[in-house]
Amino acid sequence: MSLTQSPLDAGLPRVPLGAWTEAAVDWATRTLGPFFDGVAAVVDALVRPLDDLLTGVPAVAVVLVLAALGWWLRGWKFGLGTAVGLGLVAGMPYWEETMSTLAQVLVASALSLMLAIPLGILVAENRRASAVARPVLDLMQTMPAFVYLIPAIFFFGIGTVPGVLATLVFSMPPGVRLTELGLRQVDKEIVQAAESFGAPPWMVLLRTKVPLALPTIMTGVNQVIMLALSMVVIAGMVGAGGLGDVIMFALSQVEVGSGFEGGIAVVVLAVVLDRITDSVGDRFPSARAQRLARQA
């Protein structure tokens, strides 16, 4: 079949998948309008105060707080690097956009993890749920990022809310998968020992499995945050604001300088968030015990 030949011309039945999708979106928009309005109000109520806080606080204070956090978690070298990197961003004209992006990433990541971790626990404990969730997660991870913006625009219009919600959906799969992986990798003998003492299943889960799986779960948290940051920049196409707007404007106007500055701000933010979340995971007792076991 040639590139210009339709399926009907080739004798193949046409599958109106696009028409079905449009019909489903139109039905959801008409029927579930109040629900989407409520979701938009909740997301806006979470993002806007955090955005106002981060952009309203002097840049020096934010830099010092994050540098002190980095020093406490990873040592003075990382603390100094955080201060230098964020100080560079503060010296550029896009500090407020950087803080807006940070607010969106934090809210989207928090909401994503609130869904991903319980869902990961469910699919780890239930084989049938795992079989259902796996193809859905595959679809979510392989779908091009830009596609998530289309239904978000239909349901929530233009602005920060659709960007945050598209980011939530895009960044959720690693949190589910790594939570499931961490729980499935817990040593069965340890679980059997806990069960032999008569502990109910929910206590075995919360007191034994989850603490031992925390290092892997925290890796999922790290991946969720990194994907959220990448998607928030793409969400600038729908008016989400922040560094996404800066990069999209630079792309449309072919302004190399402003595009490079926006990209550097994204890189600094990504490195700081990545190292901080990684260090938090390393501080759990189970992570320290596993690290000592490997060294022995």
Side-chain angles (χ1 to χ4, degrees):
M1 186 174 66
S2 66
L3 294 177
T4 58
Q5 193 176 19
S6 70
L8 289 180
D9 295 334
L12 299 175
R14 176 176 293 171
V15 180
L17 185 59
W20 294 342
T21 304
E22 290 183 4
V25 171
D26 290 340
W27 175 85
T29 303
R30 292 192 307 269
T31 308
L32 303 176
F35 170 74
F36 292 131
D37 291 340
V39 171
V42 171
V43 173
D44 187 65
L46 293 173
V47 175
R48 191 178 298 276
L50 184 58
D51 191 346
D52 292 341
L53 174 64
L54 292 174
T55 55
V57 173
V60 175
V62 176
V63 171
L64 290 177
V65 168
L66 291 177
L69 181 62
W71 190 319
W72 176 57
L73 289 173
R74 293 186 68 93
W76 68 269
K77 291 182 180 179
F78 179 69
L80 180 61
T82 300
V84 172
L86 291 176
L88 176 64
V89 175
M92 296 189 297
Y94 302 123
W95 175 257
E96 290 190 0
E97 288 82 359
T98 303
M99 291 298 99
S100 295
T101 295
L102 178 58
Q104 293 175 37
V105 167
L106 293 177
V107 171
S109 299
L111 294 175
S112 180
L113 292 169
M114 287 174 62
L115 297 173
I117 292 177
L119 184 57
I121 293 173
L122 173 64
V123 298
E125 297 294 310
N126 190 310
R127 295 283 182 179
R128 189 170 298 175
S130 177
V132 173
R134 188 162 299 168
V136 176
L137 294 173
D138 290 340
L139 175 66
M140 293 170 66
Q141 285 191 289
T142 54
M143 185 74 70
F146 293 96
V147 176
Y148 288 103
L149 298 178
I150 300 173
I153 293 172
F154 268 101
F155 295 145
F156 303 102
I158 300 294
T160 301
V161 171
V164 170
L165 292 173
T167 300
L168 183 157
V169 177
F170 178 74
S171 62
M172 191 168 65
V176 179
R177 288 189 182 278
L178 286 167
T179 299
E180 179 187 11
L181 177 64
L183 290 172
R184 291 192 184 279
Q185 287 182 335
V186 173
D187 193 337
K188 289 185 172 60
E189 293 183 358
I190 297 177
V191 176
Q192 290 172 357
E195 292 173 345
S196 67
F197 283 100
W202 65 268
M203 185 174 292
V204 173
L205 175 65
L206 296 180
R207 296 291 182 88
T208 303
K209 291 183 178 181
V210 171
L212 291 173
L214 272 177
T216 307
I217 294 174
M218 286 304 301
T219 302
V221 172
N222 178 278
Q223 292 301 304
V224 166
I225 293 174
M226 293 299 101
L227 286 179
L229 182 57
S230 66
M231 187 61 188
V232 161
V233 174
I234 296 174
M237 296 182 65
V238 297
L243 293 171
D245 276 1
V246 174
I247 294 173
M248 291 299 167
F249 179 79
L251 181 63
S252 64
Q253 301 297 318
V254 197
E255 293 189 2
V256 178
S258 59
F260 183 75
E261 289 178 332
I264 287 296
V266 171
V267 169
V268 171
L269 204 56
V271 170
V272 171
L273 292 175
D274 175 69
R275 300 298 188 272
I276 287 177
T277 53
D278 190 49
S279 299
V280 170
D282 289 341
R283 284 182 169 265
F284 288 112
S286 55
R288 291 198 296 268
Q290 292 177 16
R291 187 167 58 251
L292 291 173
R294 287 195 299 267
Q295 292 174 355

